[in-house]
Amino acid sequence: MATDYYAVLGVQRDASQDEIKKAFRRLARELHPDVNPDPKTQDRFKEINTAYEVLSDPQKKQVYDLGGDPAGGSGGAGGFGAGGFGNFSDIMDAFFGTASQRGPRSRTRRGQDAMIRLDIDLDEAAFGTTKDIQVDTATVCGSCSGEGAAPGTSAQTCDMCRGRGEVSQVTRSFLGQVMTSRPCPQCQGFGTVVPTPCPECAGDGRVRSRRTLTVKIPAGVDNGTRIQLAGEGEVGPGGGPAGDLYVEIHETSHATFQRRGDDLHCTVTIPMTAAALGTKVPLETLDGLEEVDIRPGTQSGQSIPLHERGVTHLRGGGRGQLIVHVEVLTPTKMDPEQEELLRRLSQLRGEERPQGHFQPGQQGLFSRLKDAFNGR
């Protein structure tokens, strides 16, 4: 035995086929002429190819283990004779990770996903709703049922590749004869041709149409929330399975409330007399008309939370808050009576009095001031 093929690949004599294949891939990546152009590596590359050709074939390996040399004994070009370069697919696998796929490819493929934007109001986002939407997507051609061929006709086997979907070509190089395969140019790799395409879909097996879908919007959705409708997207070529449809929520702005997460915010403006004496302000909430209690001495910028009056939590029970921000309106123009009442009140209160607390005389004066500002 002139050459130790196990030593050439760097494996033990009891190595498994998987170990032999991994060793060959590693060496092929290192020594292939396209990677390592050094002429000294060419002989070494031929050796590992010959060793792998013998050890990867169970019958040749058995002959070799019994003392024979099915490669011709030289350990050199035994794998590149008249039989051609038998391990081309394994070398391709060594460089690209997987061997080339054989056979025709299917005309039927999964369709693409689609997405549309849906505008909803704040109350619809807060409590959920149901919407009918119109969708323009590819659907199965009703004329050919996705086959792509005109009614009464069918696809035929490609006469160039004989249904294999690929054609082979043998070229010569310093390695010997190398066989390569590529998709058939006549059938584009499908293995069949459609002589008479369907006039409705031009052979694609699908057409565009408008459909109406009913979408359930859960309570608590926000801007950017996407609702997945499985199988409602684009039908694939050849009538393949449809992709998914995603409905992206866009919440329109509200005239009164600003949303921050699941909380709602709004601002109410009251005169300074109402802030000082306290009042009740009517407010139209998402749940109907309610009165906001303004306590005496409320300052501008204070906030009043109304619990469970916000947006429903999308996951989990309960709702956010409605936070009412108070803005106290200070008068810019006053008549002489209003000015006099304010001066008298200032003298009665004194700087030592805590804000929001009035003595009996001050309370009456402030009531007169309130009446003066309200024109009564």
Side-chain angles (χ1 to χ4, degrees):
M1 185 181 300
T3 305
D4 186 348
Y5 293 140
Y6 291 100
V8 170
L9 294 181
V11 297
Q12 300 294 325
R13 296 190 67 86
D14 59 352
S16 65
Q17 285 295 320
D18 186 58
E19 291 172 334
I20 292 172
K21 191 170 188 178
K22 287 181 179 179
F24 169 74
R25 290 179 181 177
R26 176 178 56 80
L27 293 172
R29 284 194 294 265
E30 295 175 1
L31 302 174
H32 193 280
D34 290 342
V35 176
N36 192 339
D38 188 349
K40 295 181 180 180
T41 65
Q42 295 182 12
D43 291 340
R44 173 70 172 144
F45 182 73
K46 293 177 183 179
E47 286 180 359
I48 66 166
N49 183 76
T50 302
Y52 181 68
E53 183 180 351
V54 171
L55 298 182
S56 63
D57 187 310
Q59 294 181 349
K60 292 181 180 180
K61 183 175 181 296
Q62 184 179 15
V63 172
Y64 175 74
D65 289 340
L66 292 175
D69 191 351
S74 65
F80 301 92
F85 189 14
N87 293 307
F88 181 76
S89 63
D90 290 302
I91 292 181
M92 294 296 291
D93 192 14
F95 282 95
F96 300 106
T98 58
S100 58
Q101 298 296 320
R102 299 290 182 177
R105 60 191 181 102
S106 174
R107 291 183 180 273
T108 302
R109 301 191 300 277
R110 182 183 184 274
Q112 293 182 342
D113 296 338
M115 185 176 70
I116 64 171
R117 194 176 97 162
L118 178 63
D119 295 333
I120 63 173
D121 299 329
L122 175 60
D123 58 341
E124 294 174 326
F127 302 119
T129 187
T130 300
K131 290 279 191 179
D132 288 335
I133 59 174
Q134 289 188 331
V135 185
D136 291 321
T137 57
T139 58
V140 176
C141 176
S143 179
C144 67
S145 300
E147 295 295 329
T153 67
S154 61
Q156 298 179 2
T157 300
C158 175
D159 56 7
M160 177 176 286
C161 66
R162 300 184 183 277
R164 293 186 297 113
E166 60 183 15
V167 291
S168 300
Q169 181 180 7
V170 178
T171 58
R172 296 189 61 83
S173 70
F174 72 94
L175 299 175
Q177 292 182 342
V178 179
M179 179 176 293
T180 60
S181 299
R182 59 187 177 90
C184 174
Q186 179 167 294
C187 66
Q188 308 303 316
F190 294 117
T192 59
V193 294
V194 181
T196 310
C198 172
E200 188 72 21
C201 64
D204 192 40
R206 55 183 181 170
V207 294
R208 300 201 69 82
S209 65
R210 175 168 293 186
R211 299 176 292 146
T212 300
L213 300 176
T214 300
V215 183
K216 183 178 180 180
I217 311 297
V221 294
D222 201 351
N223 273 324
T225 299
R226 291 184 179 180
I227 301 172
Q228 180 182 13
L229 302 179
E232 297 293 352
E234 300 275 350
V235 167
D244 298 335
L245 174 66
Y246 292 88
V247 179
E248 185 174 84
I249 298 299
H250 180 262
E251 183 183 304
T252 58
S253 59
H254 194 272
T256 303
F257 304 115
Q258 296 82 45
R259 180 176 176 180
R260 300 174 192 169
D262 289 340
D263 293 334
L264 299 178
H265 295 256
C266 71
T267 301
V268 296
T269 303
I270 59 175
M272 68 175 188
T273 53
L277 295 175
T279 187
K280 291 185 181 295
V281 178
L283 178 64
E284 188 68 38
T285 71
L286 297 182
D287 299 274
L289 185 64
E290 297 191 23
E291 287 189 336
V292 181
D293 186 18
I294 307 295
R295 296 183 179 181
T298 297
Q299 302 298 300
S300 186
Q302 283 188 237
S303 59
I304 302 171
L306 301 182
H307 302 289
E308 295 292 320
R309 292 294 182 271
V311 177
T312 304
H313 298 313
L314 182 60
R315 295 176 179 84
R319 296 169 59 184
Q321 300 183 91
L322 169 56
I323 301 175
V324 181
H325 300 272
V326 179
E327 182 181 74
V328 177
L329 182 63
T330 303
T332 56
K333 293 182 180 181
M334 294 182 289
D335 58 32
E337 180 186 4
Q338 294 169 341
E339 290 182 4
E340 179 61 26
L341 290 172
L342 278 176
R343 287 193 183 95
R344 290 176 59 187
L345 178 64
S346 178
Q347 293 171 358
L348 285 173
R349 282 179 57 79
E351 295 181 355
E352 74 283 354
R353 300 290 185 185
Q355 272 187 326
H357 294 270
F358 297 93
Q359 300 298 320
Q362 299 170 347
Q363 183 76 33
L365 181 59
F366 212 93
S367 296
R368 290 171 56 193
L369 180 63
K370 180 179 179 181
D371 293 340
F373 275 104
N374 291 337
R376 292 182 295 189

